[in-house]
Amino acid sequence: MSTKYSVLFKQENAHDEDIWACAWGKSERDGTEHIVTGALDNKVKCWKWVEEQLELKWVFEGHQLGLVSVDINKSGTIAASSSMDAQVCLWDLETGKQVRSVDGGTVETWTITFSPDERHIATGGQSGTIVMLNVHDGTKAAEIDTRGKFTLSIAYSHDGRYVACGAMDGIIKVFDVETQQLVETLDHQGHAMPVRSLAFSPDSAKLVTASDDSQIKLYDVKNASCMHTLSGHSSWVVDVAYCPDNLHFTTCSSDRTVKVWDESLKQCVNTFYEHKDQVWSCCYNTNGSKIVSVSDDMAINVYDCPI
């Protein structure tokens, strides 16, 4: 394991246009690690992470407009993608085939995430609702009316009990997955601008949020209270991901940086300045030893993290 933060690998010109989404998964069957990326070139790419470098494995084509969100299920076998064409697609990472495509209608599907039990995909977008799709057949399992504006971000708690969403107006809401009822609205000391990303801690006790107001907020889920407000980015904070160690999280921003934060210290412990343009997405690998980020500069960067 690494003892310091460092740049491990850079894949230049990974797509033909700006890259807006990435996800990192590990197959529970054979341990293969994949990084999936989505870009404005309408393509989803699957990269195999082997011997500390990326090898292009699959190019998934089927979307008619740019990709805005991707995710990989917990078992590391299926990827999901959403696009400005209102399509949600599922891809088999082992065979390279499309599993299915689901038409989201005329409304943009902006964000997508697998449920912890892998049975559902939650989507959010312009309608303001959270739609949960059945993975096995693409049918609608449930729909939650958030009574809010454009849903930019969605996250499941790791215990599967809650789903949280962040909206264009800066409001964050948490719903009970089973009953689909509103549990709490996190607007006290909240964000003043759109919430582009949020993530539950691995123990499901905390929720970290990222916003166009350049701030990161850490909430106590049980008490619905803002524990800390963190500053450090000089522009929009567009993505946030919790480390599996439950102690750190990473953020990326249109200020071109990727930052790592120590939750207990309430401060940034490392900043990566490797990208040449806005950084749209970042995430950890399954054990928290590495971070991947993607950017408008069409590059994929992988970093080593001490754990």
Side-chain angles (χ1 to χ4, degrees), residues 46-98:
C46 175
W47 309 80
K48 187 176 179 181
W49 177 252
V50 57
E51 296 182 354
E52 299 194 337
Q53 62 181 4
L54 291 176
E55 295 179 359
L56 183 60
K57 186 175 181 180
W58 310 114
V59 178
F60 300 127
E61 298 188 64
H63 286 290
Q64 302 305 309
L65 291 173
L67 277 294
V68 290
S69 184
V70 297
D71 196 18
I72 299 175
N73 66 353
K74 187 178 179 181
S75 61
T77 56
I78 302 291
S81 58
S82 63
S83 161
M84 288 181 279
D85 63 7
Q87 294 288 317
V88 174
C89 293
L90 296 180
W91 314 93
D92 189 313
L93 299 183
E94 295 181 344
T95 66
K97 304 295 184 181
Q98 185 183 93

Side-chain angles (χ1 to χ4, degrees), residues 164-224:
C165 65
M168 188 70 78
D169 58 7
I171 301 297
I172 301 156
K173 294 182 178 180
V174 180
F175 296 88
D176 184 290
V177 170
E178 185 174 350
T179 66
Q180 297 162 35
Q181 296 300 306
L182 179 66
V183 177
E184 54 203 26
T185 300
L186 304 177
D187 54 1
H188 177 63
Q189 298 180 332
H191 291 289
M193 296 177 72
V195 177
R196 292 192 179 266
S197 181
L198 35 71
F200 281 92
S201 58
D203 63 5
S204 300
K206 298 173 289 290
L207 182 71
V208 63
T209 62
S211 170
D212 285 6
D213 62 12
S214 305
Q215 294 184 335
I216 302 121
K217 291 183 182 289
L218 188 65
Y219 290 92
D220 180 312
V221 175
K222 183 178 180 180
N223 298 313

Side-chain angles (χ1 to χ4, degrees), residues 106 270 273:
T106 58
N270 193 79
Y273 298 93

